[in-house]
Amino acid sequence: HVWLVGVATLCLYAQRTAITTLQVRIQPESHLNPPQISLQFRVSPDGSSDVISQTESIAAWVRALPGQRIRLQASVLSLTGPAGPISATALRWSGTLLRASSGAQEAACTAGTFDPTQPPDLISNWTRSASLTCAVTFSLISNGALPPGSYTGTIALSLRAE
């Protein structure tokens, strides 16, 4: 019995002096809805029934590391009219902030014209983990120069912290 008590005491002593370390690693992550947008426009022969704008709600959530810049970018994958492909420069966007959690209160939805060589940022000044939603209106820049007919396009969205 003495031996059993000695082993139990030793085990109890070992348990009391053990050091336990818990390491939690929180990885950056992001969620974007939708990741891609299909555009559909119509230019009428006399301009009386044109549909040259389309508004989409884009929701983003990011958990970033301190000091990272959060970027939501859009790339024109395709833009086609009745005569075939047209340049991304015939498309512009304008964003309005609908909702933002505390980490994105300083962020702003942007506006501009697409550049086929570099995807634009649809949001500026976003530097902390948060969620936000923008209403983004995509519009054909027609100026009466586009031939009548149907126009379709695809926009790819990407969200990342860097």
Side-chain angles (χ1 to χ4, degrees):
H1 290 60
V2 174
W3 178 79
L4 183 59
V5 172
V7 170
T9 304
L10 182 61
C11 289
L12 189 59
Y13 176 76
Q15 288 178 348
R16 287 187 187 151
T17 61
I19 296 174
T20 303
T21 303
L22 175 64
Q23 182 177 13
V24 177
R25 179 174 287 184
I26 299 174
Q27 296 292 335
E29 67 177 294
S30 63
H31 301 279
L32 178 62
N33 188 34
Q36 190 167 306
I37 296 170
S38 296
L39 301 174
Q40 296 182 344
F41 305 112
R42 184 181 68 246
V43 175
S44 60
D46 62 1
S48 64
S49 61
D50 289 354
V51 177
I52 59 170
S53 294
Q54 178 178 324
T55 302
E56 298 289 335
S57 179
I58 300 171
W61 175 86
V62 174
R63 180 172 49 220
L65 297 174
Q68 287 188 314
R69 176 180 170 204
I70 300 164
R71 301 185 76 181
L72 172 60
Q73 293 183 303
S75 299
V76 178
L77 297 182
S78 66
L79 188 57
T80 306
I86 60 175
S87 172
T89 58
L91 191 62
R92 69 175 166 235
W93 84 94
S94 177
T96 303
L97 188 63
L98 297 178
R99 284 180 297 286
S101 64
S102 62
Q105 291 294 322
E106 300 297 319
C109 302
T110 64
T113 303
F114 280 92
D115 177 348
T117 63
Q118 183 172 334
D121 287 291
L122 300 186
I123 297 172
S124 65
N125 203 33
W126 190 4
T127 58
R128 292 179 31 215
S129 297
S131 62
L132 65 73
T133 302
C134 288
V136 180
T137 300
F138 298 93
S139 304
L140 277 178
I141 304 171
S142 66
N143 301 332
L146 294 175
S150 294
Y151 290 79
T152 60
T154 303
I155 305 288
L157 301 173
S158 66
L159 178 64
R160 69 181 183 283
E162 56 185 30

